[in-house]
């Protein structure tokens, strides 16, 4: 990860409406007074002071699998101030009087946070962003009982429906009633449940790797790290990750591996101590605690230990004789590195075997120069053939056969043929985005559809999943201000404190669910002898190719590509 300039002084927050996108006053003068409501698209953002739609859509018609989560966005707006806006959800009634209870719905206000680029910006870069620039972007979810809407503004509300895995296939209908102190409006809901089952998220094949930093949870909540209160919050925090299909547990074998570039640095989970006699001792208490918490939450497929090559080759250990921490630089191609890491790897392997975790473990290396990467891999491979290595960075042919798990930066990837060769060897390949490229990405100013598009690209190109730094590397006040020094806003975190989801996270999850549906449908269709199924599968595979050729990331075009893919997937699902 690149270093970042962090602001040294606490931000002075201006009025929360100071950075609104300008709107045309005539639009509001022409708008009908009183309570206005409509369904909107979940693929785009709606800004606080714009009239959101010209023609209201009063019905939500959607199709989904048993076990799938469907998302909708309800817009509430008015030229007048609206008071005490409340939502009332009815149960859905389906075939033979079967019900989907109102408890399967979720409702959240979409709160606006400050970002440092305008919506859809194509020039976002690492390192040169003026921190003082600010634009309000709709992203963070907030539970509510009721809310007010100031005049000449809107409030987006995010609606989720978790279709029960036991639901009877068919069409279910219900209503949403929206009340203010003076008016009431009704929206219609019609959901068609297909006779296909989406497994629960912890059983998805997609390898989602969002790097976690549990110290941020303690820091932002002013808790003692690894106290019982901290661990209770971590359980909720990790459950949200598992609910999106998170597979990798992020752990740290060294202290502050990334050049101290976070508001709260990643602490070492394994304490290295040099005894008075000059021997090494290793304390795995924090490592074990975090891994066990993650596995209890359902994140249990892989553990990554960062890192064999820390920033500046800097390693920290405790000197038993003085009680002081000592920092030393051990270059991976040095004798001291080889000697010390061989001792550590021997002890660590024994510990992992005792815990039953060795087969899940990956030693992580990230964006390091080639000579140090190769030297570290050589030390690890020579120590034991049991070690698996993961690397995040550009595609390098010389690393291909050395890595069990390789995540490529989007735009610096192998060819499709090279990726197939990796798949044939039974190793994992994913891709990632970070503070670049500008598109596609998961920034707070990225069109939401990009978060969904990412997993369609994974399916089209043949990847096993997606990686991102980070899940929770929060800035000073993330619930209001997503700006993080000189990086594009939202680059460093995908969820909010308190295990609060957001538009970006739900769109990413939606794309992952699409990936799983694609996998299941293609497996079933490949076994079918039905000519219609074969033709639909051919059309679907031909359409997937467009996701590998995208260059401009025009919002309307990629939305159309996703919509067409979903339509073909829906038709295939009906035929199987």
């Amino acid at each position: 990860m690149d270093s970042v300039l962090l602001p040294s002084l606490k931000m002075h927050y201006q009025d929360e409406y100071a950075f609104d996108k300008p709107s045309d006053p005539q639009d509001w003068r022409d708008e009908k007074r009183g309570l206005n409501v409509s369904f909107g698209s979940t693929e785009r953002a709606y800004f606080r002071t714009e009239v959101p739609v010209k023609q209201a859509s009063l019905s939500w018609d959607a199709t989904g699998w048993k076990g799938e989560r469907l998302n909708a966005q309800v817009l509430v707006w008015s030229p007048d101030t609206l008071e005490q806006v409340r939502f009332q959800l009815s149960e859905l009634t389906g075939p033979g009087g079967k019900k989907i209870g109102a408890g399967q719905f979720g409702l959240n206000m979409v709160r606006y946070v400050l970002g440092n680029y305008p919506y859809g910006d194509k020039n976002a870069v690492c390192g040169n962003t003026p921190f003082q620039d600010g634009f309000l972007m709709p992203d963070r979810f907030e539970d509510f009982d009721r809310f007010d809407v100031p005049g000449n503004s809107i409030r987006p509300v995010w609606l989720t429906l978790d279709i029960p895995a036991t639901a009877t296939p068919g069409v279910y209908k219900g209503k949403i009633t929206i009340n203010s102190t003076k008016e009431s409006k009704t929206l219609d809901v019609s959901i068609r449940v297909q006779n296909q089952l989406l497994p629960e998220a912890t059983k998805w094949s997609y390898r989602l790797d969002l790097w976690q930093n549990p110290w941020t949870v303690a820091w932002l909540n002013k808790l003692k790290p690894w106290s019982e209160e901290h661990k209770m919050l971590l359980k909720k925090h990790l459950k949200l990750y598992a609910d999106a299909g998170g597979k990798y547990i992020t752990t740290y074998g060294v202290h502050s591996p990334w050049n101290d570039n976070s508001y709260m640095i990643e602490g070492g989970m394994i304490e290295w101590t040099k005894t008075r006699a000059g021997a090494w001792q290793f304390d795995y208490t924090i490592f074990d605690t975090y891994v066990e918490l993650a596995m209890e939450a359902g994140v249990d497929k892989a553990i990554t230990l960062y890192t064999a090559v820390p920033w500046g080759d800097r390693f920290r250990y405790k000197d038993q004789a003085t009680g002081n921490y000592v920092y030393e630089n051990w270059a991976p191609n040095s004798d001291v590195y080889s000697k010390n890491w061989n001792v550590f790897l021997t002890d660590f392997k024994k510990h992992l075997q005792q815990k039953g975790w060795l087969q899940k473990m990956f030693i992580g290396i990230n964006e390091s120069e080639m000579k140090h990467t190769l030297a570290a891999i050589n030390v690890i491979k020579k120590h034991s053939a049991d070690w698996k290595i993961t690397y995040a960075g550009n595609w390098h042919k010389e690393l291909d056969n050395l890595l069990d798990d390789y995540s490529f930066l989007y735009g610096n990837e192998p060819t499709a043929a090279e990726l197939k060769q990796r798949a044939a060897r039974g190793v994992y390949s994913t891709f990632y985005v970070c503070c670049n490229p500008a598109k596609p990405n998961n920034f707070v100013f990225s069109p939401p559809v990009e978060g969904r598009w990412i997993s369609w690209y994974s399916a089209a190109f043949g990847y096993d999943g997606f990686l991102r730094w980070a899940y929770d590397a929060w800035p000073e006040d993330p619930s209001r201000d997503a700006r993080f020094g000189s990086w594009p806003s939202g680059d460093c975190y995908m969820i909010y404190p308190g295990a609060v989801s957001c538009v970006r996270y739900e769109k990413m999850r939606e794309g992952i669910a699409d990936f799983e549906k694609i996998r299941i449908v293609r497996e079933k269709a490949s076994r079918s002898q039905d000519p219609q199924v074969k033709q639909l599968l051919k059309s679907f595979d031909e359409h997937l190719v467009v996701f590998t050729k995208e260059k401009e990331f025009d919002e309307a075009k990629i939305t159309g590509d996703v919509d067409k893919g979903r339509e073909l997937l829906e038709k295939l699902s009906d035929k199987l």
Side-chain angles (χ1 to χ4, degrees), residues 43 71 104 109-110 127 160 164 181 186-187 204 246 259 267 274 277 318 321 340 347 349 354 430:
E43 311 288 17
N71 296 305
Q104 298 300 120
M109 285 190 293
V110 179
T160 63
T181 53
T186 299
L187 300 174
W204 292 349
N259 198 32
K274 182 173 282 188
K318 182 180 285 187
N340 292 339
D347 195 80
K349 180 180 177 182
Q354 290 172 343
T430 65

Side-chain angles (χ1 to χ4, degrees), residues 110-251:
V110 179
R111 286 290 193 183
Y112 292 84
V113 298
L114 280 173
N116 55 3
Y117 282 94
Y119 181 64
D121 194 280
K122 296 183 178 181
N123 300 304
V125 293
C126 307
N128 296 316
T129 307
F131 190 79
Q132 66 269 23
D133 286 354
F135 306 88
L136 279 175
M137 295 293 156
D139 190 45
R140 177 173 61 87
F141 288 175
E142 185 175 300
D143 191 18
F144 70 94
D145 172 63
R146 65 195 68 200
F147 56 80
D148 297 337
V149 181
N152 291 355
S153 71
I154 76 164
R155 170 64 65 197
V157 173
W158 196 269
L159 174 69
T160 63
L161 172 63
D162 288 311
I163 301 173
T166 56
T168 300
V171 176
Y172 292 76
K173 294 181 179 290
K175 295 185 180 295
I176 300 172
T177 303
I178 304 173
N179 300 296
S180 70
T181 53
K182 296 181 180 179
E183 292 181 77
S184 178
K185 294 290 178 69
T186 299
L187 300 174
D188 294 319
V189 176
S190 178
I191 304 297
R192 186 168 72 91
V193 179
Q194 294 180 291
N195 193 24
Q196 301 288 347
L197 176 64
L198 183 66
E200 59 188 70
T202 56
K203 296 179 180 177
W204 292 349
S205 65
Y206 194 89
R207 295 182 74 84
L208 176 64
D209 186 6
L210 303 179
W211 293 5
Q212 311 113 54
N213 177 1
W215 279 269
T216 61
V217 178
W219 163 66
L220 209 62
N221 290 281
K222 297 179 173 59
L223 297 174
K224 180 181 178 180
W226 309 108
S227 63
E228 289 305 312
E229 294 83 359
H230 181 209
K231 287 187 284 187
M232 286 298 293
L233 281 177
L234 284 175
K235 289 180 180 180
K236 185 178 180 182
H237 196 71
L238 288 163
K239 182 66 176 66
L240 184 61
Y241 178 42
D243 186 53
K247 295 291 185 290
Y248 293 77
I249 306 168
T250 310
T251 66

Side-chain angles (χ1 to χ4, degrees), residues 253-255 272 280 307-317 326-332 337 340-341:
V254 299
H255 182 77
W272 295 49
W280 286 110
T307 173
V309 187
W311 191 276
D313 307 325
R314 180 184 64 178
F315 290 86
R316 187 187 84 168
Y317 64 87
V326 177
Y327 292 85
E328 293 181 354
N329 298 93
W330 306 340
Y337 179 95
N340 292 339
W341 264 74

Side-chain angles (χ1 to χ4, degrees), residues 52-69:
V53 296
K54 295 299 183 183
Q55 182 67 43
S57 175
L58 303 180
S59 63
W60 178 35
D61 298 281
T63 299
W65 288 16
K66 296 178 289 183
E68 184 177 359
R69 175 178 298 169

